[in-house]
Amino acid sequence: MQSPNNSSPPAAPSASWFSRLFILAPLSFWLLFAALMGGLFGVGGYTFIYAEGGSYFSDDPLSCINCHIMEEQYEGWGHGSHKHVATCNDCHTPHTFPEKYIVKGINGWNHSVAFTTNNFHEPIQINNMNRTVALDNCIYCHGEFVSPITSIVQHDEQTNCLACHQDVGH
């Protein structure tokens, strides 16, 4: 007769799904996976460094002329009334986090695709999303001054500062 203290050892825990996948997948799969990931990160990293991607996280207006197409706008800003009080981001990105970096990300993606595929209008034109951001920023900075004008505009219609001031900024 066995004593209750001599019980059999506990069963080994079953392997996790990840360890089972790692064991069951052939070596050729892991080599292909490593090559694809290495290529993706290698090309992405090279492109990010070559395109000076880190500069786009700053507020430095010089980052806007990394692409030659923005040189005319940069030159205009340099001679304009906003140079001493506003950078490109002050007018062209929202002033709140995370909206600022969401807009920067969307624009970065769109610009990289457009310039890589050479599919953009020249001279460069602002799109509807960026026009809305710029107009919101006009009101953000000049709201008190223009409140008599903005009170006339219908509630469902955005004040269009650019109708009279299209050359302000750059």
Side-chain angles (χ1 to χ4, degrees):
M1 191 161 149
Q2 270 187 332
S3 69
N5 293 341
N6 290 343
S7 63
S8 61
S14 64
S16 71
W17 68 269
F18 182 75
S19 61
R20 285 194 305 263
L21 174 67
F22 190 74
I23 292 169
L24 295 176
L27 179 61
S28 59
F29 167 80
W30 292 110
L31 291 175
L32 179 62
F33 179 75
L36 288 173
M37 290 295 104
L40 179 70
F41 285 105
V43 169
Y46 174 79
T47 303
F48 186 79
I49 291 168
Y50 179 77
E52 300 179 48
S55 69
Y56 296 106
F57 291 103
S58 75
D59 283 331
D60 185 0
L62 288 174
S63 65
C64 295
I65 60 169
N66 285 347
C67 298
H68 74 278
I69 196 159
M70 294 302 294
E71 289 174 358
E72 182 180 336
Q73 285 75 17
Y74 178 80
E75 188 68 27
W77 169 80
H79 292 89
S81 60
H82 284 82
K83 179 182 181 182
H84 300 290
V85 294
T87 65
C88 304
N89 283 327
D90 291 325
C91 297
H92 292 283
T93 61
H95 295 188
T96 56
F97 182 84
E99 289 84 3
K100 176 179 183 174
Y101 291 97
I102 291 171
V103 167
K104 282 182 148 228
I106 291 168
N107 286 333
W109 173 259
N110 290 341
H111 294 164
S112 65
V113 168
F115 296 131
T116 300
T117 61
N118 201 27
N119 184 18
F120 56 89
H121 188 273
E122 203 164 347
I124 195 164
Q125 296 178 337
I126 195 166
N127 65 26
N128 288 334
M129 179 192 76
N130 290 315
R131 178 180 293 278
T132 299
V133 169
L135 292 173
D136 287 346
N137 285 335
C138 292
I139 302 303
Y140 179 88
C141 292
H142 302 287
E144 188 176 315
F145 179 72
V146 298
S147 61
I149 298 169
T150 58
S151 64
I152 297 171
V153 176
Q154 298 296 324
H155 293 291
D156 59 341
E157 186 180 326
Q158 185 178 30
T159 302
N160 186 0
C161 306
L162 299 174
C164 298
H165 304 281
Q166 65 186 1
D167 292 330
V168 171
H170 49 72

